[in-house]
Amino acid sequence: MEKLLINGGKPLKGEVMISGAKNAAVAIIPATLLVNGVCRIENVPDISDVDSIVKMITSLGAKVEREGINTLIIDSTQLKTYVADPELAVKMRASYYLMGALVGRFKNAHVPPPGGCNFGVRPIDQHLKAFKYLNCSVTTDDDFVKIDGSSLSGGNVYFDVVSVGATINAILAAVLAPGRTVLESAAKEPHVVDLANFLNSMGAQIKGAGTDVIKITGVPSLKGGTYSIIPDQIEAGTYMFAAAATRGDVVVKNVIPKHLEAITAKFLEMGLGVDEGDEEVRIYAKGPLTAINIKTMPYPGFPTDLQPQAVIMLATVNGTSIVTEGVWESRFQYVEQLAKMYDKISVDGKRAIIKGGAPLVPAKVTATDLRAGASMVIAALACNGTTEVDGLRHIDRGYEHIVEKFAALGADIQRVDD
Ligand code: EPZ
């Protein structure tokens, strides 16, 4: 089993290039199933979630070639089935995008319930509701969600919860559906906008992505073309928190600073230096920091996918900070693991109370999910002594070349086999 050995306690310094966005890639790759032509997708992150979704579409008959590390050439014109492979689907959450993509393409989809990180209950009722309002009939059995889209057509969908996945699934199902679809209370995350931009560049008619009302006019077909995925907001935020936790000076490059405003606002509130350029943000320590409170919310709020990284960073700041989880029912399980390094974080329902400023202690910790894993790496980078982080399969799902990127910032980090 592989693990990271991190000898921390040194400020990170230098520049880091941010990769393409995982959560855009895992939506855009299945969206190519709707395209009648060849798609060239650039800036695809080299991560295992991308490998998993590529395997899934390949098993449906798509032809996928890699050009270098970060470009995929996808030809889905010869798809042979609308039944997704159950063994592949349980490995990741984004397998649920095959529902929208296959029903859009074949007017039929059989897709197993999705896997992914465990944050308590992760329902898909809003996805299924959207399919029903687009005039599909949905049945579920032990193995599959079965969507019959023989009457698929545009409709009005009012989401009860702001859901990234349900918004994206509804867009995927609606782009080729005859008539007009209106999605109300839609998610506004950058990857929702990126998916809509990708589909529009292939001929779809989607308006309003990035607002809470998205309007789609169905088109008969989509053509192939080239598209480049946006930079990863969460990967960028992770390096920003690592820079802050080690009191370093890091320029995070290839980002869209607008996507990072909820994070930079909190850094300014804490007393960190933040310089924004056109496509980069510099984070640097310039004096003592103050404890703050954070609440995670859907975009443009503070992202839940940076909550664990924020919690451990605040452990390094004198005073009491409170972080409230406003998206997931249960996203603090990792605190138990983190307690091996810092035991002054208590969880009260959806709140973590962090009594910051005591030293972190090196330990052997296990990444329990993707972003929890990132928080453990940050803890190790901020801690004097050698920490071991295992459970790397979670981290590899979403961080491209994490060892090389942190090493280039001066971190003493190695990946070793036990
Ligand atoms: C996406 O998950 C991301 N995953 C998650 O990132 C991220 O945490 C989440 O959005 C919120 O930003 C991908 O994009 C692949 P949601 P998703 O549907 O779409 C409730 C990471 O670390 N809900 O927006 O599954 C749900 O329980 C991952 O990269 C319903 O009630 O999240 C939650 O409380 C982890 N019914 C809230 O909505 C539904 O049908 C938001 O979930 C769907 C969701």
Side-chain angles (χ1 to χ4, degrees):
M1 192 179 56
E2 287 188 315
K3 62 188 177 188
L4 297 178
L5 291 183
I6 301 171
N7 185 8
K10 286 186 295 234
L12 296 176
K13 285 196 174 12
E15 296 180 351
V16 59
M17 282 295 284
I18 296 307
S19 302
K22 167 181 91 81
N23 288 342
V26 298
I28 287 172
I29 292 168
T32 63
L33 302 186
L34 296 164
V35 177
N36 191 15
V38 177
C39 298
R40 179 190 164 88
I41 313 293
E42 299 171 347
N43 205 30
V44 179
D46 183 18
I47 53 176
S48 70
D49 264 8
V50 162
D51 297 340
S52 302
I53 199 88
V54 164
K55 273 193 197 131
M56 271 183 250
I57 66 163
T58 307
S59 75
L60 296 167
K63 293 196 179 72
V64 184
E65 283 172 24
R66 266 181 203 273
E67 203 181 278
I69 297 176
N70 298 114
T71 298
L72 296 179
I73 317 287
I74 307 178
D75 178 352
S76 300
T77 47
Q78 306 297 322
L79 282 200
K80 49 181 197 266
T81 175
Y82 55 80
V83 182
D85 183 326
E87 275 181 34
L88 296 174
V90 294
K91 290 197 177 148
M92 70 184 305
R93 191 78 188 154
S95 59
Y96 55 33
Y97 292 143
L98 296 178
M99 295 179 195
L102 288 170
V103 83
R105 167 75 186 255
F106 287 109
K107 312 291 176 259
N108 221 332
H110 290 187
V111 179
C117 295
N118 176 17
F119 314 138
V121 184
R122 293 189 74 176
I124 56 165
D125 57 302
Q126 299 301 308
H127 303 236
L128 305 188
K129 173 179 170 166
F131 297 133
K132 286 178 190 159
Y133 280 86
L134 296 175
N135 305 302
C136 300
S137 90
V138 180
T139 52
T140 49
D141 60 27
D142 287 349
D143 302 320
F144 287 103
V145 178
K146 295 180 176 168
I147 305 161
D148 174 353
S150 43
S151 303
L152 174 71
S153 55
N156 291 348
V157 184
Y158 298 86
F159 291 113
D160 306 311
V161 180
V162 178
S163 161
V164 172
T167 302
I168 288 179
N169 246 333
I171 293 174
L172 293 172
V175 278
L176 297 178
R180 186 172 153 87
T181 293
V182 180
L183 309 177
E184 304 248 17
S185 296
K188 297 180 277 208
E189 267 66 6
H191 34 293
V192 174
V193 179
D194 207 36
L195 172 80
N197 287 342
F198 162 73
L199 289 166
N200 283 342
S201 74
M202 306 289 153
Q205 286 191 26
I206 305 167
K207 290 193 173 139
T211 75
D212 50 15
V213 182
I214 298 178
K215 295 180 180 165
I216 303 160
T217 305
V219 294
S221 65
L222 300 177
K223 60 179 176 12
T226 296
Y227 190 79
S228 183
I229 289 177
I230 51 165
D232 196 309
Q233 174 207 26
I234 306 302
E235 189 199 16
T238 300
Y239 284 95
M240 288 159 73
F241 275 108
T246 61
R247 306 299 188 267
D249 186 343
V250 171
V251 183
V252 182
K253 296 180 88 82
N254 184 36
V255 297
I256 298 174
K258 170 96 189 126
H259 294 167
L260 302 169
E261 278 175 359
I263 303 142
T264 48
K266 286 292 164 190
F267 281 5
L268 291 170
E269 198 179 321
M270 269 186 271
L272 282 154
V274 177
D275 291 346
E276 269 184 26
D278 286 345
E279 292 185 1
E280 64 184 40
V281 178
R282 175 181 166 216
I283 302 298
Y284 55 99
K286 55 175 190 172
L289 302 184
T290 44
I292 56 161
N293 297 336
I294 294 177
K295 180 170 183 185
T296 69
M297 285 190 283
Y299 189 83
F302 188 93
T304 173
D305 292 342
L306 288 172
Q307 179 257 92
Q309 299 89 319
V311 164
I312 192 61
M313 192 264 146
L314 290 169
T316 68
V317 177
N318 278 328
T320 300
S321 297
I322 298 178
V323 175
T324 306
E325 175 56 47
V327 175
W328 292 108
E329 188 179 276
S330 165
R331 200 176 189 173
F332 283 121
Q333 292 111 318
Y334 69 90
V335 168
E336 202 181 306
Q337 205 39 238
L338 209 51
K340 293 183 188 171
M341 299 186 71
Y342 197 81
D343 64 3
K344 292 174 177 52
I345 304 169
S346 55
V347 176
D348 173 16
K350 290 192 167 192
R351 293 191 321 160
I353 298 136
I354 304 136
K355 292 197 166 30
L360 287 150
V361 185
K364 289 184 182 181
V365 289
T366 299
T368 47
D369 68 59
L370 169 60
R371 308 303 173 187
S375 81
M376 284 160 204
V377 171
I378 294 174
L381 291 166
C383 170
N384 286 315
T386 300
T387 289
E388 293 185 22
V389 183
D390 64 24
L392 301 192
R393 74 189 167 85
H394 290 293
I395 296 174
D396 292 339
R397 283 187 38 220
Y399 288 96
E400 177 175 293
H401 308 155
I402 190 168
V403 170
E404 292 78 1
K405 288 187 186 188
F406 275 123
L409 294 174
D412 181 350
I413 177 170
Q414 305 170 53
R415 189 175 181 119
V416 296
D417 216 329
D418 253 346

